[in-house]
Amino acid sequence: MTADRPAPHETSRPRSAREVYRDLLPELMRADDRLYCLDSDTGLFDAAAFAEVPGRYLNLGIAEHNLMGTAAGLAASGNVPYVTTMATFAATRALEAIKIDIAYNALPVRIVATHGGLAAGHLGPTHHALEDLAVMRALPGFTVVVPGDAGQAGEAVRQSAALPGPVYIRLGRSATPGLDGAAPGGGPFEIGRAQWLRRGGDVALIACGPHPVLAAAHAADRLAGRGVRAAVLNLHTLRPLDAAAVVAAAEGTAGVVTVEEHWRSGGLGGAVAETLAEHAPARVARVGMPDTFAERAGGQEDLLDRYGITADAVVAAALNLTSGTHGGGNHDPDLSRV
């Protein structure tokens, strides 16, 4: 793989979350000699950027299992390694090492996984990461974060340095719009604390990840035109999950619509449904990848549209939940493809 680095004349274009991470990590390493960067030949980093921290940038090549074992050894020796690989390889190929070497020993390894969800859509289902959130949030002691934009990605990396135990940070591939316009007064990004983008009492839209959060925000605007007041919650941390915010968002509403770039099973929708089932039972409609592999390679936005991870789908799900008072549909969701 090669890095998609901007040419000098393109530096004014929006940066992707992974580019923010690429530029930030050497800075953090210069300030904290515990930090290491472990690479899996992603092409994201220039070794020259680590000249001031000799010996702390290690490119182990395309050997993800070894990558995690090396990270565990560094962490057990008092260091804080940042491991960079693609999300699908972290969650599947290297899973045994993550479970046994890192999670079992509660080691402070930070796995920064790029190409989350359908971000590598052009490479086909082998490179789609639609199971990673379910896998990582099931491992004891893991913190799991899905930043909503490049700025939040930078904050997630900064804040993760001081956290105990292992951390999984899911990033995309390409630049996405910032959430500033979608989150007036939403408050600062803080790992473990959900971000309110809208307040509303008819239905709650809970999302994670850049495209799903923007889809929820756009859906809320359209629902407002139909007289439906939708709360929007950017639930960027799946673990530890902000249960109080989830309960508050759902309270008094017709139900919750979750939106994620992940299979509908086990990810954000599962986490929200589990939380509400325990604390404040409510109807939950899940917008996410249906129970299928993508039938073809394609661009990320093309695949999101093809498989219904869109503002249109969020509006339809919200109207179905609020059908008694706001003229939505009256059919149940397709239970065969959850």
Side-chain angles (χ1 to χ4, degrees), residues 131-157:
E131 67 291 302
D132 59 322
L133 301 180
V135 169
M136 294 301 174
R137 80 176 190 90
L139 294 173
F142 252 88
T143 295
V144 180
V145 186
V146 190
D149 62 13
Q152 293 191 354
E155 281 302 307
V157 172

Side-chain angles (χ1 to χ4, degrees), residues 5-240:
R5 294 199 181 95
H9 66 280
E10 297 176 326
T11 53
S12 61
R13 70 170 175 79
R15 291 190 301 163
S16 67
R18 63 181 179 142
E19 289 170 332
V20 169
Y21 165 60
R22 176 198 69 197
D23 296 341
L24 175 61
L25 187 57
E27 172 190 327
L28 298 179
M29 290 171 63
R30 288 193 292 270
D32 186 342
D33 60 11
R34 300 174 306 148
L35 273 54
Y36 277 71
C37 176
L38 273 60
D39 193 7
S40 56
D41 205 22
T42 60
L44 181 62
F45 298 103
D46 181 349
F50 300 92
E52 296 181 43
V53 290
R56 289 197 277 140
Y57 168 71
L58 306 173
N59 185 354
L60 280 75
I62 303 174
E64 290 81 4
H65 202 282
N66 291 340
L67 185 75
M68 299 303 172
T70 302
L74 284 167
S77 302
N79 301 295
V80 180
Y82 281 77
V83 178
T84 310
T85 188
M86 293 179 69
T88 187
F89 301 146
T92 54
R93 181 177 295 172
L95 178 57
E96 182 187 20
I98 293 172
K99 174 185 173 182
I100 301 302
D101 296 345
I102 296 172
Y104 181 68
N105 295 292
L107 293 172
V109 174
R110 283 74 179 99
I111 301 170
V112 183
T114 67
H115 297 70
L118 294 164
H122 59 297
L123 296 175
T126 57
H127 285 61
H128 300 168
L130 296 167
E131 67 291 302
D132 59 322
L133 301 180
V135 169
M136 294 301 174
R137 80 176 190 90
L139 294 173
F142 252 88
T143 295
V144 180
V145 186
V146 190
D149 62 13
Q152 293 191 354
E155 281 302 307
V157 172
R158 284 185 188 277
Q159 294 175 24
S160 69
L163 293 176
V167 179
Y168 181 78
I169 301 174
R170 187 208 230 201
L171 307 181
R173 173 178 178 269
S174 302
T176 55
L179 293 183
D180 290 344
F189 175 91
E190 181 181 340
I191 290 177
R193 184 175 182 179
Q195 182 185 37
W196 289 91
L197 308 189
R198 302 277 197 286
R199 299 280 182 169
D202 293 327
V203 67
L205 312 179
I206 301 179
C208 71
H211 291 285
V213 172
L214 287 172
H218 294 156
D221 290 339
R222 289 166 51 185
L223 288 165
R226 301 185 63 154
V228 179
R229 298 169 300 126
V232 181
L233 199 64
N234 174 18
L235 196 63
H236 49 70
T237 305
L238 269 66
R239 193 172 186 197

